[in-house]
Amino acid sequence: MSKTFDQGKDEVGKLCKYFATNRKSFLVPGVKEAHVRQSLIDPFFEALGWDVRNESMAAPQYREVIPEDSLDVEGQQKAPDYTFRVGTLPKFYVEAKKCGININADPAPAYQLRRYGFSAKLALSILTDFEELGVYDCASRPRPSDKASHARIQYFGFAEYPDRWREIWDVFSREAVWSGMFDQYAASKRKRGTSEVDSEFLKDIEGWRDVLARNLALRNSDLSTDDLNAAVQRIIDRIVFLRIAEDRGLESYGQLLELCNQPHIYGHFMSGLCRKADEKYNSGLFHFQKESGVSDAPDTLTPRLVVDDKALKPILQSLYFEHGSPYNFGVLPVEILGTVYERFLGKVIRLTAGHQAKVEEKPEVRKAGGVYYTPAYIVNYIVQNTIGKQIEGKSPADLAGGKTKPPFRVLDMACGSGSFLIGAYQFLLEHCLKWYQANPSKRHAKAVYQNAKGETRLTIAERKRILTTHIFGVDIDRQAVETAKLSLLLKALEGENDTTLSEQMKLFHARALPNLSNNIKCGNSLIASDFSLVPEDLVRVRAFDWDVQFPDAMKAGGFDAVIGNPPYVRQETLGAGFKEYANVHYRVYHSVADLYAYFIERGVSLLRPDGWFSYIVANKWMRANYGEPLRKWLKEQQVEEIIDFGDLPVFKGATTYPCIIRIRKTPAETQRRCEDISIVQMDTLNFVDLQECVENGKYLIRRTSLDDKGWSLSDERTQTLIEKIRAAGVPLGEYVKGKIYRGVLTGLNKAFVIDRATRERLIAEDSQSAEIIKPFLAGRDIKRYQTPQSDQFLILMPKGWTREKSRNAKDAWGWLQKNYPAVALHIAPFAAAGQKRYDKGEYWWELRACEYYHEFEKPKIIVPAIVKSASYAFDEENHYSNDKTSIVQTDDLYLLGVLNSRVSDIILHSISSTKHGGYFEYKPMYVSQLPIRSIDLSDASQKSIHDRIVQLAESMLALTPKLREATSESKKATLQNAITTTDAEIDRLVYELYGLTDEEIKIVEGQ
């Protein structure tokens, strides 16, 4: 079906002439929409290169264009008329109408289309009867009152198609969609502040939680906090499940709405719909009776609750088209529901002393800065490169195992709302279906069937089997566990309706869904029962014993794949005692490590031999001090791949510096066979296929080249160069005999950091103030080669100063007021805040203990903590500087020149942590590693280079302030040219010192 632009334009031109000639016949009453689609709309999109009629004979479920019959179910259309896809991913919908419908003015068709597109989180969709065509932005919430023109970004009459074909082709042709031009166009049309379906649905269910929590707390005075949270979650989950089931055709449309017509809504909801659902689905979501083989106790909590109609009725009504609901749950992807719940679970209900419900953010979420769900392309990549690599070519029977072989098992040990488990389950469903299609047999009658459209589908029994056999998860949050179960159950039912489900249930004599309590469990993946002998402690930390909870998997040696996105939070979130426990149980322990370090070690330990592990985690472990134990441990593992995203915004709304790490657990005797690690350093998120992007951008590094002090992921040429530079010098820390210091941390800047006017006032009031007020620089004040200037000052009274100066006066504060009255009066209002500081001195007005305050009053090199490139300044004016800087106590201008050179930067950028916007951390832990070429002053050639660099550094120190002071453009240009020339000469001399070749210089200058 491949078409060129010109071929398409020619075809659409002929189609327009045909319509113009036969227009009246298409407008005759009684002409059906199907005729318009077949005669006009199908050929229109074929001219855009789409295989609308499936001439390639792809299996029905893998068609790139999915056409639907315009069939109304209970007054609601079942699905969009066309779904255009890349692979199996929907990109846009097309809603077709009979000719004569006034698409330009009638709001109803536009509202219908936008509800579809909005619910499926599609960027754009099309409404057309061929005579007219409207392109709609589907990101914003549709409302019944919207005009037909609302959110319409393009409009065409059929006569315009040939002349405006470029506009249409460059967005909606198959070529444009597959190349990413469609996505770029959609992004350019997106309005700022648009709230998409996940954000809108999140607002809705958060509102429901608030209403239900307050009403349940009011009407059920015996509810505990845990029971209240559980009850609200279960009620919302059941409502969502049943409403989705209605729009999917699994349940009668409007049954929840009908409850609103009678009193005692909650009682009828529980005794009628939920009891019926329990019998039909057997899912655990509706679990009211004890069942054999099920670990969860039946729900005795929610049936006894009292819920007022005034609380429940508006919730149920808000879910329906008739009451202005923007959602079509038939097209709402389960994956989107998971992203909504992920953020929903970031808050918890708390009961006040008066038994009133308050919803607040969980402490660990607040500390982490919010909840960030994993994008689908990350989930898919990790799934394809762990599960996919292991099951390729294997039959469902192979994966199911047998007497001599365990089944294939996938684990997410911090599963949250289940996004990775859903991705894994979907991958396994597709794999098994493809295998059955490629190997047809009557023996597979229990596994596959053909639906009314001729599509081969997995039976619900087979989907249940795949789910319970292969998918496993753990999370410390009970509500997250319930949400993961709900998402997986909805995924299991995808594509089914009441007719197909009923037929299969009769055929297999089984209820529709499994109970997942033996697959998805609540517990602390990192802590077992050996944490404490006190039962209350084990309950508090939710201790989890893997051998007990998953006995079959652990007896078989573990899981075949461990995937996920563990929490990026400090280990303190697990409470008192965890550090002591981790120090004993984890080789990657560090006192300030983030939790993900432990999740990596535990995850790999849970793999069977030849199993695969892959996580997306923060990349800080590669360079941070706390990552050293993890780095050492990882060098003993078979690390296969690292994809570093740097500061790219993988997680919307957060800068987390993520990377994907993939590890294969090989037997000890083969562990060292592969010494190469595949590396990809991503520089954009503007790709259609991450897999293709990785293949094109990867390179190999040797495991042995990785330094325990910090991992550099540079390619082999760059790594060889870095090793050469390192070998030519000594670490800066050694070169300056350890005289590298962090800037001053006050803990209370508003008290101790003052401006120039305040300094002058304090000295005018009391001249003695001058001796404890020091010039104070911030990181932003430090510029390359510039003499630092600042209008800020530091009130400096370090720990021990008061005792020493007052000779141990009993009334220390009284002594300060008497001897430094102006300063005492200034800081007095901050006494309470000063007292609360953990880093104060002996008295609240003193700064923390520091042995090197005196070093600030010596010549020194100052460097800001976070900059894009070398920005070392030289100070001889006794400035102190804040904790966003570091100082190197020296008057060595040769060193200043070397540090400001490109050679130093290529080293630092290879070892330093990255920051958002292309910045790097120039902190002592990194700066101290910079290799400095020592000079043998008895060697004339070395001494000549040394002296020349000193001379040039002096020139830079003289030129930069003059540039800052210059007023005329010509003078600025002259000075800038001199600075550029001098800088380049320093670089040239440093290249010579380190013995770099022309090719190596190109690498340095190309960084």
Side-chain angles (χ1 to χ4, degrees):
M1 285 299 296
S2 178
K3 293 276 173 70
T4 66
F5 170 82
D6 289 330
Q7 287 173 330
K9 183 177 180 179
D10 182 58
E11 288 180 17
V12 86
K14 291 176 182 176
L15 196 61
C16 290
K17 287 179 182 177
Y18 165 74
F19 177 72
T21 303
N22 299 280
R23 187 174 185 182
K24 288 184 179 178
S25 65
F26 282 103
L27 295 172
V28 171
V31 173
K32 294 184 177 180
E33 179 188 305
H35 178 59
V36 176
R37 288 172 58 172
Q38 186 176 10
S39 302
L40 299 170
I41 297 175
D42 287 1
F44 177 85
F45 285 100
E46 286 170 350
L48 286 166
W50 292 97
D51 187 6
V52 178
R53 304 173 205 263
N54 196 27
E55 293 178 6
S56 64
M57 302 296 288
Q61 55 269 39
Y62 300 117
R63 291 180 61 164
E64 64 182 32
V65 182
I66 306 294
E68 289 286 349
D69 297 328
S70 294
L71 177 66
D72 281 3
V73 178
E74 306 268 357
Q76 295 295 304
Q77 189 173 316
K78 186 178 177 183
D81 291 319
Y82 300 86
T83 303
F84 288 77
R85 309 192 299 178
V86 171
T88 58
L89 180 69
K91 298 300 288 187
F92 66 92
Y93 290 144
V94 171
E95 190 62 23
K97 295 297 173 187
K98 293 187 294 184
C99 293
I101 299 291
N102 192 345
I103 284 174
N104 190 31
D106 188 348
Y111 180 56
Q112 179 187 34
L113 172 76
R114 288 176 56 218
R115 284 183 78 234
Y116 281 134
F118 176 73
S119 299
K121 203 176 181 179
L122 301 186
L124 306 173
S125 284
I126 290 174
L127 177 64
T128 187
D129 62 353
F130 187 79
E131 188 175 15
E132 302 171 279
L133 185 148
V135 177
Y136 284 86
D137 175 1
C138 294
S140 60
R141 182 174 184 137
R143 302 183 188 280
S145 59
D146 291 340
K147 294 181 180 179
S149 59
H150 188 88
R152 189 169 63 206
I153 56 178
Q154 279 188 307
Y155 174 81
F156 303 87
F158 80 93
E160 298 176 283
Y161 294 160
D163 292 339
R164 297 178 66 186
W165 189 241
R166 175 59 68 186
E167 292 177 60
I168 301 170
W169 179 272
D170 284 352
V171 179
F172 291 102
S173 68
R174 186 182 187 278
E175 175 186 290
V177 173
W178 277 83
S179 70
M181 291 171 64
F182 171 91
D183 294 322
Q184 292 175 21
Y185 176 80
S188 73
K189 294 298 181 181
R190 181 68 43 84
K191 290 183 180 179
R192 276 190 169 187
T194 298
S195 186
E196 297 180 290
V197 62
D198 47 1
S199 297
E200 288 293 304
F201 195 53
L202 175 64
K203 289 179 194 173
D204 289 344
I205 64 172
E206 284 187 327
W208 305 346
R209 173 173 57 194
D210 190 53
V211 169
L212 288 171
R214 285 190 279 111
N215 191 252
L216 282 166
L218 177 67
R219 296 298 183 204
N220 304 270
S221 58
D222 61 333
L223 274 181
S224 67
T225 299
D226 284 348
D227 283 348
L228 177 60
N229 277 278
V232 169
Q233 178 88 36
R234 286 179 197 170
I235 293 169
I236 291 175
D237 287 352
R238 288 164 181 167
I239 290 171
V240 169
F241 179 92
L242 289 171
R243 183 65 189 88
I244 290 175
E246 287 184 13
D247 273 5
R248 287 187 180 180
L250 291 160
E251 297 288 334
S252 299
Y253 177 82
Q255 59 180 4
L256 287 167
L257 189 58
E258 289 173 8
L259 293 177
C260 299
N261 297 326
Q262 51 191 315
H264 311 301
I265 294 173
Y266 184 73
H268 290 294
F269 172 71
M270 290 298 298
S271 62
L273 297 186
C274 291
R275 291 284 177 179
K276 178 184 169 187
D278 188 19
E279 294 173 7
K280 181 174 182 178
Y281 298 109
N282 182 35
S283 68
L285 178 59
F286 309 97
H287 179 32
F288 304 114
Q289 298 177 356
K290 180 66 180 173
E291 298 174 47
S292 61
V294 174
S295 62
D296 277 1
D299 177 16
T300 57
L301 170 63
T302 59
R304 67 175 177 81
L305 297 176
V306 177
V307 183
D308 289 336
D309 289 354
K310 66 179 181 180
L312 194 54
K313 185 175 181 178
I315 294 173
L316 299 181
Q317 290 177 328
S318 71
L319 290 165
Y320 287 89
F321 171 85
E322 295 88 335
H323 291 270
S325 169
Y327 311 112
N328 185 302
F329 293 100
V331 298
L332 182 73
V334 172
E335 291 79 2
I336 286 180
L337 190 65
T339 69
V340 171
Y341 267 106
E342 197 80 43
R343 287 176 284 173
F344 179 74
L345 296 173
K347 294 181 180 177
V348 68
I349 305 164
R350 179 178 62 82
L351 282 171
T352 68
H355 210 262
Q356 291 184 320
K358 302 285 185 185
V359 178
E360 58 188 19
E361 202 167 43
K362 292 176 181 175
E364 63 270 26
V365 171
R366 187 166 58 251
K367 289 175 183 175
V371 175
Y372 307 104
Y373 57 87
T374 311
Y377 66 86
I378 297 290
V379 174
N380 294 338
Y381 182 85
I382 287 177
V383 166
Q384 289 168 11
N385 288 277
T386 52
I387 298 169
K389 286 183 177 294
Q390 296 184 81
I391 69 174
E392 188 174 358
K394 293 184 179 178
S395 71
D398 290 334
L399 298 178
K403 292 182 179 179
T404 60
K405 178 184 171 186
F408 183 85
R409 294 184 176 100
V410 181
L411 170 70
D412 183 348
M413 52 187 280
C415 67
S417 64
S419 58
F420 276 90
L421 296 181
I422 294 167
Y425 183 35
Q426 178 66 38
F427 191 88
L428 287 163
L429 290 172
E430 291 178 2
H431 173 85
C432 291
L433 178 58
K434 286 178 181 177
W435 191 91
Y436 285 126
Q437 288 175 316
N439 299 274
S441 170
K442 291 182 179 179
R443 291 177 299 164
H444 304 151
K446 288 187 177 182
V448 291
Y449 73 100
Q450 279 203 329
N451 65 12
K453 295 180 181 178
E455 297 173 338
T456 301
R457 290 190 51 82
L458 296 173
T459 63
I460 193 64
E462 180 67 358
R463 294 168 77 92
K464 285 161 61 175
R465 185 197 66 76
I466 292 169
L467 178 55
T468 55
T469 303
H470 302 305
I471 302 297
F472 299 86
V474 180
D475 200 276
I476 197 170
D477 188 319
R478 285 191 174 87
Q479 271 64 54
V481 167
E482 294 308 313
T483 297
K485 292 178 184 177
L486 170 66
S487 298
L488 287 165
L489 294 173
L490 286 167
K491 176 60 74 173
L493 286 172
E494 213 165 55
E496 300 293 343
N497 58 44
D498 190 44
T499 302
T500 62
L501 205 59
S502 298
E503 289 174 354
Q504 292 179 72
M505 288 165 67
K506 288 177 185 175
L507 182 64
F508 301 121
H509 307 291
R511 286 186 278 182
L513 290 172
N515 190 308
L516 295 179
S517 60
N518 291 331
N519 290 71
I520 316 298
K521 295 176 178 271
C522 181
N524 189 326
S525 294
L526 302 178
I527 298 177
S529 294
D530 59 356
F531 177 79
S532 173
L533 296 175
V534 181
E536 289 76 14
D537 287 345
L538 300 181
V539 172
R540 173 177 58 82
V541 300
R542 296 185 179 168
F544 191 84
D545 296 301
W546 290 91
D547 290 338
V548 175
Q549 297 294 337
F550 294 117
D552 293 340
M554 299 312 291
K555 285 176 185 173
F559 297 85
D560 297 272
V562 176
I563 57 177
N565 176 14
Y568 301 6
V569 293
R570 300 291 295 272
Q571 57 192 297
E572 286 80 5
T573 61
L574 289 188
F578 177 73
K579 285 188 179 182
E580 292 83 356
Y581 181 83
N583 195 15
V584 174
H585 290 79
Y586 291 94
R587 289 179 56 196
V588 300
Y589 171 78
H590 190 285
S591 60
V592 295
D594 278 9
L595 277 183
Y596 66 75
Y598 306 114
F599 273 96
I600 293 173
E601 182 180 342
R602 174 53 58 87
V604 173
S605 75
L606 292 169
L607 288 174
R608 297 179 66 240
D610 278 327
W612 289 78
F613 167 96
S614 189
Y615 269 177
I616 181 165
V617 295
N619 68 13
K620 297 287 187 180
W621 61 268
M622 284 191 258
R623 293 162 181 176
N625 278 341
Y626 74 69
E628 185 167 351
L630 176 59
R631 291 191 290 269
K632 289 179 178 178
W633 179 83
L634 282 170
K635 283 178 71 174
E636 299 174 10
Q637 314 305 314
Q638 189 68 46
V639 180
E640 298 278 335
E641 178 181 70
I642 298 173
I643 304 172
D644 189 1
F645 291 90
D647 66 353
L648 295 173
V650 170
F651 296 98
K652 190 176 179 181
T655 305
T656 51
Y657 311 101
C659 71
I660 293 173
I661 181 169
R662 179 157 51 86
I663 301 170
R664 187 175 184 181
K665 189 172 184 177
T666 52
E669 62 271 16
T670 62
Q671 190 163 327
R672 291 296 178 187
R673 286 183 184 172
C674 180
E675 284 294 335
D676 290 329
I677 301 175
S678 176
I679 301 296
V680 182
Q681 299 201 62
M682 300 291 296
D683 58 8
T684 181
L685 296 181
N686 186 23
F687 49 77
V688 175
D689 182 8
L690 178 56
Q691 185 76 50
E692 182 181 346
C693 196
V694 168
E695 288 299 319
N696 292 336
K698 70 182 180 182
Y699 56 88
L700 300 177
I701 63 171
R702 302 291 289 174
R703 186 192 316 272
T704 51
S705 72
L706 297 170
D707 189 340
D708 291 343
K709 294 296 180 185
W711 283 16
S712 168
L713 301 186
S714 304
D715 58 38
E716 187 174 355
R717 289 169 62 243
T718 305
Q719 195 63 43
T720 300
L721 171 59
I722 287 171
E723 289 171 5
K724 176 178 178 177
I725 295 170
R726 282 182 179 277
V730 298
L732 175 62
E734 180 182 334
Y735 184 87
V736 297
K737 298 180 172 58
K739 293 182 178 181
I740 304 175
Y741 309 106
R742 183 189 182 194
V744 176
L745 178 67
T746 73
L748 190 61
N749 280 357
K750 59 185 178 181
F752 302 109
V753 179
I754 59 177
D755 59 21
R756 185 175 296 277
T758 304
R759 172 187 178 272
E760 291 174 356
R761 177 177 57 80
L762 294 179
I763 293 174
E765 291 172 4
D766 171 26
S767 61
Q768 281 211 150
S769 301
E771 71 180 67
I772 57 173
I773 299 177
K774 311 292 183 180
F776 195 53
L777 301 166
R780 63 179 176 273
D781 300 320
I782 312 303
K783 308 296 182 186
R784 194 165 180 265
Y785 284 117
Q786 291 189 13
T787 303
Q789 296 179 357
S790 175
D791 282 329
Q792 286 193 318
F793 298 84
L794 173 68
I795 297 174
L796 178 64
M797 294 174 282
K799 181 179 180 181
W801 177 87
T802 308
R803 176 170 38 80
E804 181 183 336
K805 295 286 285 186
S806 72
R807 297 183 180 179
N808 245 346
K810 288 185 178 180
D811 180 9
W813 177 247
W815 174 86
L816 187 69
Q817 287 178 307
K818 180 180 178 180
N819 290 274
Y820 297 88
V823 170
L825 184 63
H826 170 77
I827 65 174
F830 304 103
Q835 197 67 255
K836 290 177 182 176
R837 289 179 303 153
Y838 74 90
D839 55 356
K840 59 181 179 292
E842 293 175 0
Y843 300 97
W844 69 262
W845 57 85
E846 292 183 340
L847 301 190
R848 65 196 298 176
C850 179
E851 296 179 356
Y852 57 83
Y853 282 124
H854 61 282
E855 301 291 348
F856 287 94
E857 301 196 10
K858 299 177 182 178
K860 57 190 171 294
I861 293 171
I862 312 179
V863 57
I866 299 175
V867 282
K868 289 186 175 181
S869 59
S871 298
Y872 300 85
F874 185 65
D875 176 54
E876 292 183 293
E877 297 179 6
N878 301 337
H879 283 93
Y880 284 69
S881 59
N882 73 3
D883 59 314
K884 299 295 187 268
T885 68
S886 302
I887 66 168
V888 183
Q889 195 282 298
T890 182
D891 59 1
D892 185 352
L893 295 185
Y894 160 75
L895 177 60
L896 179 67
V898 173
L899 289 175
N900 271 320
S901 72
R902 290 175 182 261
V903 166
S904 289
D905 261 6
I906 195 172
I907 300 295
L908 192 132
H909 291 182
S910 74
I911 60 176
S912 165
S913 289
T914 54
K915 305 296 284 185
H916 185 59
Y919 288 83
F920 293 85
E921 290 186 345
Y922 282 65
K923 293 183 176 180
M925 60 184 288
Y926 304 123
V927 172
S928 62
Q929 298 180 51
L930 293 176
I932 307 301
R933 178 78 155 83
S934 296
I935 298 296
D936 180 359
L937 295 176
S938 65
D939 183 313
S941 62
Q942 289 189 35
K943 185 178 185 304
S944 174
I945 294 175
H946 169 276
D947 293 348
R948 181 60 176 152
I949 289 176
V950 170
Q951 185 183 39
L952 292 167
E954 288 173 337
S955 295
M956 291 293 281
L957 291 171
L959 287 166
T960 50
K962 288 180 180 178
L963 177 63
R964 187 165 59 189
E965 295 162 5
T967 54
S968 73
E969 291 303 318
S970 61
K971 189 171 184 180
K972 285 181 182 178
T974 300
L975 288 167
Q976 184 58 64
N977 183 59
I979 287 171
T980 302
T981 303
T982 306
D983 212 9
E985 179 63 9
I986 292 175
D987 279 334
R988 188 190 67 76
L989 292 168
V990 174
Y991 296 151
E992 187 177 340
L993 268 180
Y994 286 84
L996 303 193
T997 65
D998 289 345
E999 284 302 310
E1000 290 168 337
I1001 291 171
K1002 287 179 183 178
I1003 295 172
V1004 172
E1005 297 190 342
Q1007 64 172 314

